[in-house]
Amino acid sequence: MTETSEPFSEETVLRFARGTRLQYDRVREQWFIQAPEKAFIADPSAAEILQLIDGKRTLGTVTDKLLQKFSATRDVLVHDVLHMTRELADKQVLQVV
């Protein structure tokens, strides 16, 4: 797996890589990431974050929107958002705009 060298911060803006998208499977009632020749099941927390990734919002804005929905501290949410999006960027699912 190739890691990108650029560190993520709250100012980072991400989008899905070409040919990759978040999709909801109504039959299984589950979110998943569809990518060329692979698919990943998105757990509920990841799905909440990924639904806010649009190529325009910063990760700080994504965190702020999650704060309106969940009862967690900002520090915890920032850590979780940065960590999860970094992992998906390393898997070439997300990329920096």
Side-chain angles (χ1 to χ4, degrees):
M1 163 172 47
T2 305
E3 280 196 36
T4 55
S5 59
E6 186 176 340
F8 283 11
S9 72
E10 290 189 60
E11 289 75 41
T12 302
V13 177
L14 296 171
R15 67 177 179 86
F16 282 90
R18 184 177 180 173
T20 304
R21 68 178 186 261
L22 181 66
Q23 189 170 341
Y24 187 71
D25 181 340
R26 287 188 172 97
V27 173
R28 292 178 184 84
E29 297 181 349
Q30 189 169 27
W31 286 96
F32 68 98
I33 302 162
Q34 188 170 350
E37 300 184 31
K38 57 187 167 187
F40 304 95
I41 294 173
D43 66 40
S45 300
E48 290 288 342
I49 295 167
L50 292 170
Q51 289 177 74
L52 297 170
I53 301 294
D54 63 359
K56 297 174 187 156
R57 291 184 181 112
T58 65
L59 293 180
T61 302
V62 168
T63 301
D64 292 339
K65 291 203 170 284
L66 293 170
L67 277 170
Q68 296 170 8
K69 198 169 185 179
F70 299 102
S71 60
T73 66
R74 190 168 206 297
D75 289 343
V76 167
L77 282 177
V78 166
H79 175 268
D80 291 349
V81 167
L82 295 178
H83 180 75
M84 197 241 10
T85 55
R86 163 54 63 205
E87 283 185 355
L88 289 176
D90 289 345
K91 293 177 181 178
Q92 299 176 346
V93 170
L94 298 174
Q95 56 188 205
V96 177
V97 174

